[in-house]
Amino acid sequence: MSTLKKNKRAKLAKKHKLYGENKPAIGNSVSQRGKPKYLGGNGRKTTGITRRKFKKNLQKIRVVEDGKVVRRRVPVSLIRSGMVDLPVVRQPFTVDLNETASK
């Protein structure tokens, strides 16, 4: 295996370790008719089962990786839980006192 392929695999493995695999989970969508017995019906009948995908809610955001800011497609669940390092952005219209003292 060439070094280029090894580096690509290593980068991909690192990305999967940080953000998880962003592939959709696969499941079934079930169509039914009738009323459940506990609601006074005769029971539900399944009329069709089709395959479907449960896609993750991916957002394209800027994250910090190895000290660099890069754009990645990251699931919202990781953003909300705080598992993603976001870049520090200075508040608008604020003056940093250290910068003015050095000038």
Side-chain angles (χ1 to χ4, degrees):
M1 186 182 307
S2 70
T3 312
L4 183 66
K5 278 189 178 177
K6 278 187 182 177
N7 290 344
K8 266 189 171 179
R9 285 172 183 252
K11 278 184 181 178
L12 197 62
K14 190 174 179 183
K15 201 168 89 172
H16 285 318
K17 186 179 172 189
L18 287 172
Y19 310 118
E21 202 163 329
N22 292 330
K23 288 185 178 177
I26 296 175
N28 289 332
S29 175
V30 180
S31 300
Q32 294 179 328
R33 65 181 162 84
K35 193 174 183 181
K37 285 187 175 182
Y38 78 96
L39 291 176
N42 202 12
R44 284 163 89 56
K45 308 288 187 285
T46 300
T47 58
I49 300 174
T50 56
R51 298 293 277 169
R52 62 158 288 189
K53 292 179 182 177
F54 292 91
K55 296 182 179 180
K56 292 187 176 182
N57 185 2
L58 298 177
Q59 300 288 318
K60 198 169 186 178
I61 62 165
R62 295 166 64 224
V63 296
V64 177
E65 275 184 17
D66 299 330
K68 294 182 180 179
V69 178
V70 292
R71 284 191 182 272
R72 290 275 182 256
R73 292 176 67 211
V74 183
V76 168
S77 56
L78 291 184
I79 299 170
R80 283 185 178 168
S81 64
M83 295 180 69
V84 178
D85 293 332
L86 299 174
V88 177
V89 180
R90 195 180 69 168
Q91 292 294 320
F93 308 112
T94 58
V95 177
D96 190 10
L97 296 176
N98 295 335
E99 283 182 21
T100 55
S102 62
K103 288 182 182 178

mmCIF file of all heavy atoms in Angstrom, residues 51-81:
data_model
loop_
_atom_site.group_PDB
_atom_site.id
_atom_site.type_symbol
_atom_site.label_atom_id
_atom_site.label_comp_id
_atom_site.label_asym_id
_atom_site.label_seq_id
_atom_site.Cartn_x
_atom_site.Cartn_y
_atom_site.Cartn_z
ATOM 1 N N ARG A 51 -38.021 -0.102 2.940
ATOM 2 C CA ARG A 51 -36.748 0.285 3.550
ATOM 3 C C ARG A 51 -36.621 1.803 3.531
ATOM 4 O O ARG A 51 -37.088 2.457 2.606
ATOM 5 C CB ARG A 51 -35.570 -0.328 2.789
ATOM 6 C CG ARG A 51 -35.563 -1.837 2.785
ATOM 7 C CD ARG A 51 -35.333 -2.431 4.142
ATOM 8 N NE ARG A 51 -33.910 -2.484 4.446
ATOM 9 C CZ ARG A 51 -33.416 -2.756 5.640
ATOM 10 N NH1 ARG A 51 -34.228 -2.978 6.646
ATOM 11 N NH2 ARG A 51 -32.124 -2.801 5.840
ATOM 12 N N ARG A 52 -36.001 2.354 4.564
ATOM 13 C CA ARG A 52 -35.773 3.792 4.607
ATOM 14 C C ARG A 52 -34.457 4.062 5.324
ATOM 15 O O ARG A 52 -33.860 3.159 5.906
ATOM 16 C CB ARG A 52 -36.915 4.521 5.299
ATOM 17 C CG ARG A 52 -37.115 4.127 6.748
ATOM 18 C CD ARG A 52 -37.853 5.169 7.537
ATOM 19 N NE ARG A 52 -36.996 6.323 7.756
ATOM 20 C CZ ARG A 52 -37.292 7.322 8.559
ATOM 21 N NH1 ARG A 52 -38.420 7.313 9.218
ATOM 22 N NH2 ARG A 52 -36.482 8.328 8.728
ATOM 23 N N LYS A 53 -34.019 5.327 5.267
ATOM 24 C CA LYS A 53 -32.777 5.731 5.914
ATOM 25 C C LYS A 53 -33.082 6.755 6.998
ATOM 26 O O LYS A 53 -33.890 7.654 6.793
ATOM 27 C CB LYS A 53 -31.812 6.356 4.900
ATOM 28 C CG LYS A 53 -31.293 5.364 3.892
ATOM 29 C CD LYS A 53 -30.374 6.046 2.906
ATOM 30 C CE LYS A 53 -29.879 5.062 1.868
ATOM 31 N NZ LYS A 53 -29.044 5.711 0.867
ATOM 32 N N PHE A 54 -32.425 6.596 8.142
ATOM 33 C CA PHE A 54 -32.504 7.577 9.215
ATOM 34 C C PHE A 54 -31.234 8.415 9.116
ATOM 35 O O PHE A 54 -30.167 8.003 9.545
ATOM 36 C CB PHE A 54 -32.580 6.892 10.582
ATOM 37 C CG PHE A 54 -33.863 6.141 10.789
ATOM 38 C CD1 PHE A 54 -33.962 4.804 10.449
ATOM 39 C CD2 PHE A 54 -34.976 6.777 11.315
ATOM 40 C CE1 PHE A 54 -35.135 4.103 10.646
ATOM 41 C CE2 PHE A 54 -36.156 6.089 11.514
ATOM 42 C CZ PHE A 54 -36.238 4.753 11.173
ATOM 43 N N LYS A 55 -31.357 9.607 8.519
ATOM 44 C CA LYS A 55 -30.184 10.442 8.278
ATOM 45 C C LYS A 55 -29.876 11.309 9.495
ATOM 46 O O LYS A 55 -30.778 11.785 10.178
ATOM 47 C CB LYS A 55 -30.416 11.347 7.058
ATOM 48 C CG LYS A 55 -30.581 10.572 5.776
ATOM 49 C CD LYS A 55 -30.756 11.500 4.609
ATOM 50 C CE LYS A 55 -30.897 10.714 3.314
ATOM 51 N NZ LYS A 55 -31.073 11.603 2.168
ATOM 52 N N LYS A 56 -28.578 11.510 9.739
ATOM 53 C CA LYS A 56 -28.153 12.383 10.831
ATOM 54 C C LYS A 56 -28.328 13.835 10.408
ATOM 55 O O LYS A 56 -28.253 14.161 9.234
ATOM 56 C CB LYS A 56 -26.688 12.131 11.173
ATOM 57 C CG LYS A 56 -26.453 10.779 11.790
ATOM 58 C CD LYS A 56 -25.034 10.645 12.265
ATOM 59 C CE LYS A 56 -24.833 9.324 12.961
ATOM 60 N NZ LYS A 56 -23.486 9.191 13.468
ATOM 61 N N ASN A 57 -28.545 14.681 11.393
ATOM 62 C CA ASN A 57 -28.714 16.114 11.140
ATOM 63 C C ASN A 57 -27.322 16.744 11.065
ATOM 64 O O ASN A 57 -26.761 17.162 12.075
ATOM 65 C CB ASN A 57 -29.546 16.736 12.266
ATOM 66 C CG ASN A 57 -29.867 18.174 12.009
ATOM 67 O OD1 ASN A 57 -29.507 18.729 10.974
ATOM 68 N ND2 ASN A 57 -30.535 18.799 12.961
ATOM 69 N N LEU A 58 -26.740 16.777 9.858
ATOM 70 C CA LEU A 58 -25.386 17.281 9.671
ATOM 71 C C LEU A 58 -25.404 18.774 9.381
ATOM 72 O O LEU A 58 -26.212 19.246 8.591
ATOM 73 C CB LEU A 58 -24.699 16.548 8.512
ATOM 74 C CG LEU A 58 -24.500 15.052 8.678
ATOM 75 C CD1 LEU A 58 -23.885 14.473 7.426
ATOM 76 C CD2 LEU A 58 -23.635 14.754 9.870
ATOM 77 N N GLN A 59 -24.510 19.501 10.023
ATOM 78 C CA GLN A 59 -24.353 20.924 9.782
ATOM 79 C C GLN A 59 -22.906 21.183 9.392
ATOM 80 O O GLN A 59 -21.997 20.577 9.952
ATOM 81 C CB GLN A 59 -24.677 21.731 11.042
ATOM 82 C CG GLN A 59 -26.092 21.524 11.545
ATOM 83 C CD GLN A 59 -27.124 22.172 10.664
ATOM 84 O OE1 GLN A 59 -26.918 23.292 10.213
ATOM 85 N NE2 GLN A 59 -28.218 21.483 10.405
ATOM 86 N N LYS A 60 -22.686 22.080 8.439
ATOM 87 C CA LYS A 60 -21.338 22.422 8.021
ATOM 88 C C LYS A 60 -20.861 23.587 8.884
ATOM 89 O O LYS A 60 -21.377 24.705 8.767
ATOM 90 C CB LYS A 60 -21.326 22.802 6.537
ATOM 91 C CG LYS A 60 -19.968 22.743 5.916
ATOM 92 C CD LYS A 60 -20.081 22.866 4.412
ATOM 93 C CE LYS A 60 -18.725 22.649 3.767
ATOM 94 N NZ LYS A 60 -18.785 22.709 2.325
ATOM 95 N N ILE A 61 -19.903 23.316 9.785
ATOM 96 C CA ILE A 61 -19.433 24.351 10.706
ATOM 97 C C ILE A 61 -17.911 24.371 10.727
ATOM 98 O O ILE A 61 -17.249 23.459 10.228
ATOM 99 C CB ILE A 61 -19.948 24.123 12.148
ATOM 100 C CG1 ILE A 61 -19.429 22.792 12.696
ATOM 101 C CG2 ILE A 61 -21.444 24.197 12.227
ATOM 102 C CD1 ILE A 61 -19.583 22.650 14.169
ATOM 103 N N ARG A 62 -17.370 25.437 11.325
ATOM 104 C CA ARG A 62 -15.924 25.563 11.493
ATOM 105 C C ARG A 62 -15.546 24.956 12.832
ATOM 106 O O ARG A 62 -16.153 25.272 13.864
ATOM 107 C CB ARG A 62 -15.523 27.040 11.450
ATOM 108 C CG ARG A 62 -15.781 27.669 10.103
ATOM 109 C CD ARG A 62 -15.724 29.177 10.141
ATOM 110 N NE ARG A 62 -14.392 29.640 10.500
ATOM 111 C CZ ARG A 62 -14.159 30.616 11.369
ATOM 112 N NH1 ARG A 62 -15.150 31.209 11.979
ATOM 113 N NH2 ARG A 62 -12.922 30.995 11.614
ATOM 114 N N VAL A 63 -14.564 24.042 12.828
ATOM 115 C CA VAL A 63 -14.107 23.397 14.053
ATOM 116 C C VAL A 63 -12.587 23.491 14.135
ATOM 117 O O VAL A 63 -11.910 23.732 13.133
ATOM 118 C CB VAL A 63 -14.537 21.914 14.116
ATOM 119 C CG1 VAL A 63 -16.032 21.786 14.160
ATOM 120 C CG2 VAL A 63 -13.968 21.127 12.954
ATOM 121 N N VAL A 64 -12.059 23.308 15.340
ATOM 122 C CA VAL A 64 -10.619 23.338 15.550
ATOM 123 C C VAL A 64 -10.102 21.902 15.559
ATOM 124 O O VAL A 64 -10.557 21.077 16.354
ATOM 125 C CB VAL A 64 -10.273 24.025 16.887
ATOM 126 C CG1 VAL A 64 -8.784 23.984 17.126
ATOM 127 C CG2 VAL A 64 -10.774 25.450 16.893
ATOM 128 N N GLU A 65 -9.166 21.608 14.645
ATOM 129 C CA GLU A 65 -8.521 20.295 14.577
ATOM 130 C C GLU A 65 -7.019 20.499 14.543
ATOM 131 O O GLU A 65 -6.505 21.163 13.649
ATOM 132 C CB GLU A 65 -8.942 19.549 13.299
ATOM 133 C CG GLU A 65 -10.226 18.804 13.414
ATOM 134 C CD GLU A 65 -10.530 18.019 12.147
ATOM 135 O OE1 GLU A 65 -9.623 17.804 11.329
ATOM 136 O OE2 GLU A 65 -11.687 17.662 11.977
ATOM 137 N N ASP A 66 -6.308 19.958 15.499
ATOM 138 C CA ASP A 66 -4.846 20.069 15.582
ATOM 139 C C ASP A 66 -4.393 21.526 15.559
ATOM 140 O O ASP A 66 -3.403 21.877 14.921
ATOM 141 C CB ASP A 66 -4.162 19.298 14.448
ATOM 142 C CG ASP A 66 -4.486 17.814 14.507
ATOM 143 O OD1 ASP A 66 -4.705 17.320 15.621
ATOM 144 O OD2 ASP A 66 -4.513 17.167 13.447
ATOM 145 N N GLY A 67 -5.137 22.407 16.196
ATOM 146 C CA GLY A 67 -4.772 23.814 16.254
ATOM 147 C C GLY A 67 -5.146 24.625 15.028
ATOM 148 O O GLY A 67 -4.903 25.824 14.976
ATOM 149 N N LYS A 68 -5.749 23.989 14.017
ATOM 150 C CA LYS A 68 -6.167 24.688 12.800
ATOM 151 C C LYS A 68 -7.692 24.718 12.723
ATOM 152 O O LYS A 68 -8.362 23.803 13.204
ATOM 153 C CB LYS A 68 -5.619 23.990 11.553
ATOM 154 C CG LYS A 68 -4.118 24.038 11.430
ATOM 155 C CD LYS A 68 -3.681 23.368 10.147
ATOM 156 C CE LYS A 68 -2.170 23.409 9.994
ATOM 157 N NZ LYS A 68 -1.731 22.735 8.773
ATOM 158 N N VAL A 69 -8.213 25.776 12.104
ATOM 159 C CA VAL A 69 -9.662 25.894 11.922
ATOM 160 C C VAL A 69 -10.014 25.329 10.548
ATOM 161 O O VAL A 69 -9.481 25.769 9.533
ATOM 162 C CB VAL A 69 -10.115 27.368 12.033
ATOM 163 C CG1 VAL A 69 -11.608 27.479 11.794
ATOM 164 C CG2 VAL A 69 -9.755 27.923 13.397
ATOM 165 N N VAL A 70 -10.892 24.321 10.532
ATOM 166 C CA VAL A 70 -11.315 23.685 9.281
ATOM 167 C C VAL A 70 -12.834 23.579 9.273
ATOM 168 O O VAL A 70 -13.479 23.635 10.316
ATOM 169 C CB VAL A 70 -10.686 22.285 9.110
ATOM 170 C CG1 VAL A 70 -9.201 22.375 8.885
ATOM 171 C CG2 VAL A 70 -10.977 21.403 10.303
ATOM 172 N N ARG A 71 -13.393 23.418 8.075
ATOM 173 C CA ARG A 71 -14.838 23.219 7.942
ATOM 174 C C ARG A 71 -15.127 21.723 7.881
ATOM 175 O O ARG A 71 -14.486 20.988 7.146
ATOM 176 C CB ARG A 71 -15.358 23.882 6.667
ATOM 177 C CG ARG A 71 -15.458 25.375 6.786
ATOM 178 C CD ARG A 71 -16.230 25.941 5.606
ATOM 179 N NE ARG A 71 -16.298 27.381 5.695
ATOM 180 C CZ ARG A 71 -17.252 28.026 6.344
ATOM 181 N NH1 ARG A 71 -18.210 27.352 6.942
ATOM 182 N NH2 ARG A 71 -17.255 29.341 6.386
ATOM 183 N N ARG A 72 -16.110 21.298 8.654
ATOM 184 C CA ARG A 72 -16.499 19.891 8.684
ATOM 185 C C ARG A 72 -18.016 19.783 8.745
ATOM 186 O O ARG A 72 -18.699 20.672 9.244
ATOM 187 C CB ARG A 72 -15.927 19.203 9.922
ATOM 188 C CG ARG A 72 -14.449 19.015 9.906
ATOM 189 C CD ARG A 72 -14.083 17.751 9.167
ATOM 190 N NE ARG A 72 -12.663 17.570 9.194
ATOM 191 C CZ ARG A 72 -11.864 17.801 8.167
ATOM 192 N NH1 ARG A 72 -12.362 18.210 7.035
ATOM 193 N NH2 ARG A 72 -10.567 17.600 8.260
ATOM 194 N N ARG A 73 -18.512 18.659 8.250
ATOM 195 C CA ARG A 73 -19.940 18.351 8.394
ATOM 196 C C ARG A 73 -20.076 17.510 9.660
ATOM 197 O O ARG A 73 -19.607 16.379 9.709
ATOM 198 C CB ARG A 73 -20.436 17.595 7.171
ATOM 199 C CG ARG A 73 -20.432 18.482 5.938
ATOM 200 C CD ARG A 73 -20.835 17.728 4.703
ATOM 201 N NE ARG A 73 -22.227 17.345 4.797
ATOM 202 C CZ ARG A 73 -22.743 16.239 4.241
ATOM 203 N NH1 ARG A 73 -21.976 15.431 3.554
ATOM 204 N NH2 ARG A 73 -24.020 15.966 4.356
ATOM 205 N N VAL A 74 -20.706 18.097 10.679
ATOM 206 C CA VAL A 74 -20.751 17.494 12.005
ATOM 207 C C VAL A 74 -22.209 17.319 12.438
ATOM 208 O O VAL A 74 -23.026 18.213 12.213
ATOM 209 C CB VAL A 74 -20.011 18.394 13.024
ATOM 210 C CG1 VAL A 74 -19.971 17.754 14.389
ATOM 211 C CG2 VAL A 74 -18.606 18.704 12.545
ATOM 212 N N PRO A 75 -22.557 16.187 13.065
ATOM 213 C CA PRO A 75 -23.917 16.021 13.573
ATOM 214 C C PRO A 75 -24.237 17.033 14.673
ATOM 215 O O PRO A 75 -23.393 17.371 15.487
ATOM 216 C CB PRO A 75 -23.919 14.600 14.152
ATOM 217 C CG PRO A 75 -22.741 13.925 13.568
ATOM 218 C CD PRO A 75 -21.750 14.987 13.244
ATOM 219 N N VAL A 76 -25.476 17.511 14.685
ATOM 220 C CA VAL A 76 -25.903 18.498 15.666
ATOM 221 C C VAL A 76 -25.809 17.939 17.083
ATOM 222 O O VAL A 76 -25.524 18.665 18.033
ATOM 223 C CB VAL A 76 -27.341 18.975 15.344
ATOM 224 C CG1 VAL A 76 -27.929 19.770 16.487
ATOM 225 C CG2 VAL A 76 -27.328 19.807 14.087
ATOM 226 N N SER A 77 -26.007 16.634 17.235
ATOM 227 C CA SER A 77 -25.935 16.026 18.564
ATOM 228 C C SER A 77 -24.556 16.236 19.191
ATOM 229 O O SER A 77 -24.438 16.466 20.395
ATOM 230 C CB SER A 77 -26.254 14.530 18.489
ATOM 231 O OG SER A 77 -25.393 13.891 17.569
ATOM 232 N N LEU A 78 -23.483 16.185 18.370
ATOM 233 C CA LEU A 78 -22.136 16.414 18.890
ATOM 234 C C LEU A 78 -21.917 17.891 19.212
ATOM 235 O O LEU A 78 -21.225 18.223 20.172
ATOM 236 C CB LEU A 78 -21.080 15.957 17.881
ATOM 237 C CG LEU A 78 -20.958 14.464 17.645
ATOM 238 C CD1 LEU A 78 -19.808 14.179 16.700
ATOM 239 C CD2 LEU A 78 -20.735 13.727 18.941
ATOM 240 N N ILE A 79 -22.505 18.780 18.406
ATOM 241 C CA ILE A 79 -22.352 20.214 18.650
ATOM 242 C C ILE A 79 -23.029 20.583 19.967
ATOM 243 O O ILE A 79 -22.461 21.289 20.808
ATOM 244 C CB ILE A 79 -22.951 21.043 17.491
ATOM 245 C CG1 ILE A 79 -22.236 20.714 16.181
ATOM 246 C CG2 ILE A 79 -22.857 22.530 17.780
ATOM 247 C CD1 ILE A 79 -22.919 21.290 14.955
ATOM 248 N N ARG A 80 -24.240 20.091 20.181
ATOM 249 C CA ARG A 80 -24.996 20.408 21.396
ATOM 250 C C ARG A 80 -24.338 19.836 22.640
ATOM 251 O O ARG A 80 -24.366 20.445 23.706
ATOM 252 C CB ARG A 80 -26.414 19.855 21.293
ATOM 253 C CG ARG A 80 -27.308 20.665 20.422
ATOM 254 C CD ARG A 80 -28.708 20.117 20.489
ATOM 255 N NE ARG A 80 -29.615 20.915 19.693
ATOM 256 C CZ ARG A 80 -30.835 20.538 19.390
ATOM 257 N NH1 ARG A 80 -31.297 19.385 19.827
ATOM 258 N NH2 ARG A 80 -31.602 21.306 18.666
ATOM 259 N N SER A 81 -23.771 18.641 22.524
ATOM 260 C CA SER A 81 -23.162 18.003 23.694
ATOM 261 C C SER A 81 -21.806 18.610 24.033
ATOM 262 O O SER A 81 -21.230 18.297 25.073
ATOM 263 C CB SER A 81 -23.019 16.501 23.464
ATOM 264 O OG SER A 81 -22.121 16.264 22.400
#
